[in-house]
Amino acid sequence: MAQADSPFQPRPVPGQPSVSKLVLLGSGSVGKSSLALRYVKHDFKSVVPTVGCAFFTKVVDLGASSLKLEIWDTAGQEKYHSVCHLYFRGANAALLVYDITQKDSFHKAQQWLAELEKEHPVGEVVVMLVGNKTDLGEQREVTLQEGKEFAESKNLLFMETSAKLNDQVSEVFSTVAQELLRREKVRKSHTPGNEAVDLNEGPARQARCCAH
Amino acid sequence: MLDRYRILITKDSAQESVITRDIHRTFPAHDYFKDTGGDGQESLYKICKAYSVYDEDIGYCQGQSFLAAVLLLHMPEEQAFCVLVKIMYDYGLRDLYKNNFEDLHCKFYQLERLMQEQLPDLHSHFCDLNLEAHMYASQWFLTLFTAKFPLCMVFHIIDLLLCEGLNIIFHVALALLKTSKEDLLQADFEGALKFFRVQLPKRYRAEENARRLMEQACNIKVPTKKLKKYEKEYQTMRESQLQQEDPMDRYKRENRRLQEASMRLEQENDDLAHELVTSKIALRNDLDQAEDKADVLNKELLLTKQRLVETEEEKRKQEEETAQLKEVFRKQLEKAEYEIKKTTAIIAEYKQICSQLSTRLEKQQTASKEELEVVKGKMMACKHCSDIFSKEGALKLAAISRENQGIEADDEKDSLKKQLREMELELAQTKLQLVEAKCKIQELEHQRGALMNEIQAAKNSWFSKTLNSIKTATSTQSLQPPQATQPPKEST
């Protein structure tokens, strides 16, 4: 989080970088906390099961602009879903994480999408489907194609990652950040002169699927 | 309860995979729990699984493994389970999970109100930051501080909990906030959450700090009355929130809730129906199999019965045959014995006759000798005759006289001799007959022996065959082998 407040971050817009809230959703031990840990702390270790939530921030440097991501890591067990709703509120982006070696977690991710859509109109939130644990490829139960097809059918971004091997992790967050910025620009062009960014009020747009 | 536990651990749980994944992440640095598949992980898994079966509504909750592990470090598995159940049910930890964590949120409200009263500056700072209690205290309350803090401190907290009850979570939470007040006042939203996550647990690795914290926790006053009051406040607040809500929203939510419940129940119904059908099919299959087996067994039984009847019939026949044979032998034996007796009697008779005859012969011989002596004497006395006798004619005379006498004697002798010879011949014949009879007896006996052996052999093979067939027949069903009668003993 040192980077988060670093004055050396390029800031094309004077003042604070725009802030977006991102929630990590998915069933237990698919690697939500590990993804956050890898991305924010560049570290990978055994993490305790998340009870309640964990909070991280990171400024994403996208060259011309930057974006501060507030990352809410949530508990995976279904029992805690109702608690997670506290963190849904006002979220701009969501990562639906599943474990490619656990078919069940893929189905859970789909359920999470339904939950999310109950609270937010479709397209209001940037949603990326993330298949984690590509390092365990030989135990794979969900194919790349399956993930891709589901993401396409629901207009979600999609990537496969390995928090353990640090494969595609920062790409996940930067892709989401880029999409957030793109939507912000589109929205700004519709309401010129409005400095404050509130993605939730923007016109509902379909997210494009990111070809992995 | 201990017996209940033994049953519970044998049952399957729907949450097995979640539990397994959490077990590996519970105190992985601790010696007792570090080995995958070690005693510690094994016991921990069993406790968590048993609990998930025991508590059907709540089941296993992520984070519970820490509490179970702490208990397991102090007592055997079964007792740890019992204490876990006690803490969940009787101490009320379970209530925090009920009704969408409604009680937990009430506890958060109570904590915030207590803060407002006892740590007003920190409370207002948190309010400014929009930092709510659920962001840092969820883990504290739901795991009873067991997940992040060093074990020495956790043990104190659990001791305190067991003595004082669930309200000590406020004591400990307030003590934690109080001791970190300075740091927290200077932190922003992000910094404060990071402080709770990283620095705070680290601080109590020093036992001295932990001890002081516990002292402080014990000294903090959390009046039950106040808690009650705050609880009421929270409830009123919740109610007014619900009231204020657009009735449309409320109905929508209610509708959603009901829909979810309906869906869940439908799913359950489907599952149960599916289970019913599968179990019905399985039962049908089992029944069919059992019937098939019964058929096979019945057939076998009939077969065996038939074989038994056959064998008994055979046995009866053989017995008859044996009896007949015995009878024949007995008759023959009797006959032979009778013959022997007869022959022996005849022999004895003949012997007697022989001895009589020889006695008579001897007598007559003696008599004739005497007569001869008398004649000799007379002849010697007679001058006339003595010359003949004594001179050359003596022999002649003697010969004549002897001849005369001899003719007389010879006639008698001859007849006697003849008689004797006849008798001897007869004796020899009888002896021969006797020998023949003996031979015949021997032969018969020999024959009988051979037949006996044959019968014995026949019986043995028949008997063993029968026995074997019955044995094989009875190997699939418990049928008593037919009572095997011993082959009749020959009485000779």
Side-chain angles (χ1 to χ4, degrees), chain A residues 14-209:
Chain A
Q16 293 289 309
S18 49
V19 178
S20 286
K21 181 171 168 183
L22 180 145
V23 283
L24 280 158
L25 302 173
S27 53
S29 70
V30 295
K32 297 177 297 297
S33 304
S34 291
L35 281 172
L37 191 69
R38 169 61 83 186
Y39 180 59
V40 177
K41 299 248 190 90
H42 310 288
D43 194 8
F44 180 82
K45 60 183 180 190
S46 170
V47 289
V48 301
T50 313
V51 177
C53 66
F55 177 77
F56 309 91
T57 57
K58 178 144 175 164
V59 173
V60 195
D61 179 8
L62 295 169
S65 55
S66 66
L67 181 74
K68 185 174 174 182
L69 279 182
E70 287 182 354
I71 302 168
W72 286 94
D73 178 21
T74 62
Q77 203 186 3
E78 209 154 346
K79 207 165 265 94
Y80 296 107
H81 279 199
S82 61
V83 179
C84 295
H85 284 260
L86 289 170
Y87 310 104
F88 277 12
R89 252 177 261 146
N92 307 105
L95 295 186
L96 298 179
V97 189
Y98 67 91
D99 175 352
I100 62 156
T101 70
Q102 303 271 340
K103 188 96 188 175
D104 189 48
S105 71
F106 182 57
H107 296 139
K108 285 273 161 59
Q110 300 177 5
Q111 284 172 24
W112 271 116
L113 182 68
E115 291 275 320
L116 199 63
E117 283 174 348
K118 269 186 212 162
E119 302 264 330
H120 304 272
V122 178
E124 192 182 77
V125 179
V126 175
V127 183
M128 179 183 266
L129 186 67
V130 180
N132 192 31
K133 306 197 187 178
T134 52
D135 49 291
L136 300 175
E138 69 278 10
Q139 299 164 37
R140 185 189 273 276
E141 285 182 8
V142 184
T143 63
L144 180 68
Q145 195 58 31
E146 277 175 279
K148 215 184 233 174
E149 273 169 14
F150 177 72
E152 268 166 23
S153 71
K154 296 282 181 182
N155 273 321
L156 312 177
L157 301 166
F158 175 65
M159 271 193 188
E160 282 196 348
T161 58
S162 167
K164 189 174 183 178
L165 304 178
N166 195 15
D167 180 35
Q168 295 284 98
V169 177
S170 55
E171 284 82 349
V172 164
F173 290 93
S174 57
T175 308
V176 171
Q178 261 165 359
E179 178 64 19
L180 283 166
L181 278 180
R182 196 189 60 78
R183 290 193 191 187
E184 184 186 349
K185 270 185 199 140
V186 171
R187 205 190 50 76
K188 259 188 190 166
S189 65
H190 282 291
T191 51
N194 188 354
E195 279 285 321
V197 177
D198 190 345
L199 294 173
N200 292 346
E201 286 175 8
R205 275 188 54 94
Q206 299 285 298
R208 283 173 315 171
C209 178

Side-chain angles (χ1 to χ4, degrees), chain B residues 197-253:
Chain B
R197 202 180 62 236
V198 185
Q199 283 102 316
L200 190 66
K202 260 188 200 159
R203 170 175 294 177
Y204 299 104
R205 282 189 199 160
E207 276 194 44
E208 181 55 28
N209 286 347
R211 198 186 53 74
R212 234 181 288 141
L213 177 87
M214 293 315 293
E215 251 170 43
Q216 201 154 14
C218 293
N219 288 331
I220 287 172
K221 298 244 175 332
V222 182
T224 331
K225 252 190 195 167
K226 283 236 168 81
L227 283 178
K228 280 261 159 64
K229 187 181 134 202
Y230 296 152
E231 192 182 331
K232 252 193 200 131
E233 268 178 34
Y234 176 76
Q235 275 159 5
T236 340
M237 194 179 77
R238 285 290 290 165
E239 267 164 38
S240 67
Q241 261 179 12
L242 287 176
Q243 292 297 317
Q244 277 170 12
E245 219 177 0
D246 186 1
M248 202 57 196
D249 281 350
R250 202 165 66 233
Y251 291 139
K252 266 188 193 162
R253 206 185 49 244

Side-chain angles (χ1 to χ4, degrees), chain B residues 24-75:
Chain B
H24 298 301
R25 310 193 273 176
T26 306
F27 300 129
H30 194 283
D31 271 348
Y32 188 53
F33 297 109
K34 69 180 177 199
D35 295 326
T36 304
D39 286 352
Q41 290 201 1
E42 177 78 21
S43 297
L44 194 52
Y45 173 75
K46 281 202 256 176
I47 293 179
C48 293
K49 200 184 92 176
Y51 187 82
S52 75
V53 180
Y54 180 80
D55 186 348
E56 284 177 11
D57 294 335
I58 306 290
Y60 171 78
C61 322
Q62 271 196 319
Q64 204 175 41
S65 57
F66 288 95
L67 179 58
V70 168
L71 296 174
L72 201 50
L73 288 173
H74 285 92
M75 57 195 92

